[in-house]
Amino acid sequence: PHSPVQAPQQEVARYRGKMARGWDPLRGERWKRQQEMSLVSGKLSPFEREVGPPYFFEDAYKALGPGEVSKPLPWGELTSEQQTFQATKMSIHAAMVDRMDREIGRVVEQIKAMQAMDNTLIVFLSDNGASAEIMVRDEGHDPALPPGSAGTHYCLGPGWSTVANTPFRMHKTWVHEGGIATPLVVHWPAGIKSHGELRKNPGHVIDLVPTILEVAGGKRPDTVEGKPVPAQPGRSLVAAFGKDNSVTRDSLWWAHEGSKAIRVGDYKLVAASPSLRGRGSDEAEAGQKPGEWELFDLSNDRAETNNLAAKMPDKVKELAVLWTQKTDEFAKLASQDVPPDAGPAQKGKAKGKKKAD
């Protein structure tokens, strides 16, 4: 769910009081369930107490009041007012997930009523990792109104975002796993025989179009209006429906607001933007400067807890060069379809003024 965190009051009531144990124990419970279900291998990443929201909006804290906190302190160190405020936010968030689930259920029931369930492909995924943002936008925030109602503007914040991203590091805006990794759930009884199985095959949102094209029997055109169509960076995931690790690719690439990453096989090179807030003391203790490359082997360390950069400098150099090559490649791709009447902002972006720089 995106901010603002809002939900109907009768649905919020179902979760009121259920989050009062706090983000530390609830994260531990989620991790235990994930282990029991064999969802993620490796370790649980540490609770990064010094990582707050990616941006600091002083007016937001004034509007939200003393219950809001800028860092995910240990739950026992919060005041009772802060604990109540934070637990209320997560109750609203849970109600939002509940409502989403119910609305998806309505769609599924309609498909069943049409007797089309067996041969309908349903694909569900999240937008990005959970958000640590704390801001107040739109009509603002009225603390006198019931929490979660339309006139309020709560955000999940870094404490609960860390819970939602269990077991990964960081949040939306960063390109560590906590900012980019989401589950993909696919349901298609007539086309997928391996029901209820897990796949570790990495995919990307760019894979959805080629996947749907293959399922529907479509073909991507080679030319449009006489012009060649650029190569598609995505890969169809249909093969992964039957067998794990069956989709091959050379790399996966990210660049967002100065943060950058590239994954080749199981190795991932990643760097947080130096401009993002909250990355100071913990990096200093590790001898790492903001913006420096980190290297992880995701085959046994999905939570990015063991930085291999110092031990494998050649791999860091290799992947860093590839990241730059891919960045230039995608900037060139983006510039090919700019209409002649595009405004200055569009033309500037297309020429490769990359946020990653």
Side-chain angles (χ1 to χ4, degrees):
H2 202 282
S3 61
V5 178
Q6 298 174 344
Q9 291 301 296
Q10 68 273 18
E11 298 187 14
V12 176
R14 279 200 291 271
Y15 295 94
R16 190 168 291 128
K18 294 187 177 181
M19 308 298 169
R21 284 169 292 156
W23 45 57
D24 292 279
L26 285 173
R27 187 173 188 243
E29 291 172 14
R30 288 199 180 197
W31 172 239
K32 182 180 178 181
R33 287 201 305 274
Q34 289 173 344
Q35 294 297 100
E36 292 171 349
M37 298 171 69
S38 300
L39 291 177
V40 184
S41 60
K43 298 179 180 179
L44 173 67
S45 65
F47 212 123
E48 295 178 294
R49 306 293 182 183
E50 293 298 322
V51 181
Y55 324 103
F56 182 72
F57 298 105
E58 185 176 359
D59 290 346
Y61 293 91
K62 293 178 181 177
L64 294 167
E68 191 54 275
V69 293
S70 62
K71 297 287 180 69
L73 301 172
W75 189 257
E77 294 182 12
L78 302 182
T79 67
S80 58
E81 181 180 18
Q82 289 170 338
Q83 289 181 349
T84 299
F85 184 91
Q86 298 298 323
T88 298
K89 289 200 305 180
M90 193 58 170
S91 297
I92 303 167
H93 181 269
M96 293 176 76
V97 175
D98 187 312
R99 168 53 71 96
M100 175 188 66
D101 201 24
R102 293 170 188 268
E103 297 301 330
I104 292 171
R106 289 179 59 204
V107 174
V108 169
E109 289 304 315
Q110 177 63 34
I111 295 171
K112 288 179 178 178
M114 296 164 62
Q115 298 183 342
M117 194 65 179
D118 282 350
N119 205 31
T120 295
L121 175 69
I122 301 174
V123 180
F124 176 85
L125 75 161
S126 180
D127 176 13
N128 40 241
S131 172
E133 297 165 333
I134 295 177
M135 60 179 68
V136 174
R137 300 192 298 191
D138 305 320
E139 266 76 67
H141 173 75
D142 186 346
L145 294 175
S149 58
T152 61
H153 199 296
Y154 297 95
C155 295
L156 197 57
W160 292 119
S161 177
T162 300
V163 174
N165 286 333
T166 306
F168 302 137
R169 287 181 57 199
M170 311 305 287
H171 318 272
K172 171 188 173 182
T173 306
W174 286 270
V175 292
H176 287 76
E177 292 294 281
I180 61 172
T182 77
L184 174 70
V185 182
V186 183
H187 184 272
W188 183 25
I192 302 177
K193 305 305 180 185
S194 49
H195 299 164
E197 294 184 10
L198 296 175
R199 296 286 181 265
K200 306 296 184 182
N201 202 114
H204 193 286
V205 67
I206 59 174
D207 299 331
L208 294 185
V209 168
T211 299
I212 293 168
L213 272 177
E214 179 175 343
V215 168
K219 184 180 182 298
R220 191 168 177 272
D222 296 322
T223 61
V224 172
E225 297 180 352
K227 297 180 180 180
V229 176
Q232 166 62 260
R235 299 286 184 271
S236 170
L237 299 175
V238 170
F241 297 172
K243 184 180 179 182
D244 201 8
N245 293 317
S246 55
V247 179
T248 59
R249 62 189 345 129
D250 63 343
S251 64
L252 286 169
W253 169 95
W254 295 266
H256 184 65
E257 300 198 28
S259 293
K260 51 191 179 180
I262 190 163
R263 175 172 176 170
V264 177
D266 289 322
Y267 284 107
K268 179 183 173 186
L269 191 69
V270 58
S273 169
S275 64
L276 289 181
R277 185 177 173 273
R279 295 294 291 161
S281 60
D282 55 341
E283 284 189 335
E285 290 172 7
Q288 180 189 358
K289 299 177 182 178
E292 271 191 1
W293 286 117
E294 299 173 271
L295 178 68
F296 301 101
D297 181 356
L298 300 187
S299 67
N300 54 36
D301 186 24
R302 279 297 308 281
E304 299 169 319
T305 62
N306 183 24
N307 182 6
L308 302 172
K311 296 179 180 179
M312 303 179 67
D314 290 343
K315 178 61 71 173
V316 171
K317 183 177 180 180
E318 171 194 337
L319 296 184
V321 168
L322 183 59
W323 183 89
T324 300
Q325 291 175 350
K326 288 294 179 182
T327 303
D328 294 339
E329 175 186 329
F330 292 134
K332 183 179 179 180
L333 175 63
S335 69
Q336 292 186 13
D337 300 325
V338 179
D341 58 347
Q346 289 175 289
K347 289 180 179 177
K349 290 178 182 177
K351 287 179 181 178
K353 292 184 178 179
K354 304 174 288 295
K355 291 181 178 178
D357 290 343

